[in-house]
């Protein structure tokens, strides 16, 4: 039974590619808000025992999560065999421990919430730091794909004589993987975060890399303070203007402008979150993974 794909607003292109790879078009449905703000949902063709996938990246999740869950519930109620979530950016992964007394470990609550609505989860480079795998926090089958080969390919094609720079120890896993694939040297800096927007970074032996183009690599760019601090240190050390490469372009508030104003050579991100800096396309990664998944199910 072929899968049916639903695009949540803003995810039409990706859902279109996923559906096309399965010889179909995204499912048609109506979703609007009543005058009081509550959602109205109507699926045109009931899924009738088909597997259903909802396609929705979850940057700025607060406004997205309720319609997503209501659409999933509607599909299930109308007979979907299973309801999976394809979510290129998975939020709430950074709240992975109680840093201070009384704080909520919201990664766990968010995972429990999604687990009640969906039967499976497919995402790209979730922020795995203290959790080593999604299965430590998600009870449903959850697959994490990796953009590292795409990042490495983009760097190989676009940057001459690079040295990859990770802004902190958390980024070592990304940087090492990307550097290995790109065949470039890499270094990781030391970061101290004193508050949401108060970050300092130190650079070991940076002069050693003077002849190379620094390429900052991180999984998430949110306030961009981590990258901005790093750019400042690299500039102080006399290195060439860096290229900034991130997987998830969250860019809160003026972060993108702030980063560009530092004089970076270029900012390039993946389209897990749609943003003007997108230069690296993850569509093929998701299409291939889903084909494998559906193929494996059909064979079993
Ligand atoms: C660390 O937790 C992440 O890997 C990123 O370094 C961090 O999210 C970047 O945040 P910001 O852009 O706000 O400095």
């Amino acid at each position: 039974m072929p899968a049916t794909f639903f695009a949540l607003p803003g995810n039409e292109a990706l859902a279109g590619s996923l559906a096309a790879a399965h010889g179909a078009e995204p499912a048609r449905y109506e979703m609007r808000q009543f005058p009081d703000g509550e959602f109205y949902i109507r699926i045109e063709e009931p899924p009738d025992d088909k597997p259903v996938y909802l396609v929705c990246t979850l940057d700025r999740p607060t406004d997205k999560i309720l319609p997503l869950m209501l659409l999933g519930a509607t599909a299930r109620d109308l007979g979907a065999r299973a309801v999976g979530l394809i979510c290129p950016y998975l939020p709430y992964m950074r709240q992975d421990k109680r840093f201070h007394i009384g704080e909520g470990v919201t990664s766990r609550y968010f995972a429990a919430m999604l687990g009640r609505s969906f039967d499976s989860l497919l995402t790209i480079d979730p922020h795995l730091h203290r959790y080593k795998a999604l299965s430590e926090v998600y009870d449903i089958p959850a697959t994490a794909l990796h953009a590292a080969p795409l990042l490495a390919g983009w760097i190989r094609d676009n940057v001459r004589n690079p040295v990859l720079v990770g802004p902190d120890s958390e980024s070592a896993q990304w940087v090492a993987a990307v550097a290995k694939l790109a065949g470039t040297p890499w270094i990781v800096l030391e970061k101290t975060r004193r508050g949401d927007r108060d970050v300092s970074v130190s650079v070991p032996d940076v002069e050693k890399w003077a002849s190379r183009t620094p390429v900052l690599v991180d999984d998430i760019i949110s306030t961009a303070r981590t990258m901005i601090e790093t750019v400042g240190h690299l500039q102080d050390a006399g290195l060439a203007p860096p290229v900034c490469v991130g997987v998830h372009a969250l860019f809160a508030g003026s972060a993108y402008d702030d980063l560009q104003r530092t004089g970076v050579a270029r900012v390039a991100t993946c389209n897990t979150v749609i943003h003007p800096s997108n230069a690296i396309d993850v569509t093929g990664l998701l299409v291939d993974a889903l084909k494998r998944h559906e193929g494996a199910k059909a064979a079993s």
Side-chain angles (χ1 to χ4, degrees), residues 94 127 170 191 193 218-226:
R94 286 175 293 175
H127 186 77
E170 286 180 40
K191 175 169 89 174
R193 186 183 280 279
D218 209 351
D219 59 340
I220 298 170
I221 313 176
S222 176
T223 66
R225 295 317 307 175
T226 303

Side-chain angles (χ1 to χ4, degrees), residues 71-82:
L71 181 59
T74 308
R76 195 184 295 285
D77 195 25
L78 292 173
R81 182 189 301 175

Side-chain angles (χ1 to χ4, degrees), residues 255-294:
Y256 186 47
D257 289 342
D258 297 345
L259 180 57
Q260 285 183 309
R261 267 199 299 273
T262 61
V264 293
R266 175 137 190 216
V267 182
T269 61
C270 297
N271 56 350
T272 55
V273 175
I274 302 303
H275 186 266
S277 61
N278 291 165
I280 303 164
D281 188 6
V282 297
T283 308
L285 191 63
L286 288 161
V287 166
D288 291 349
L290 206 69
K291 268 194 195 152
R292 281 197 304 275
H293 178 71
E294 288 291 309

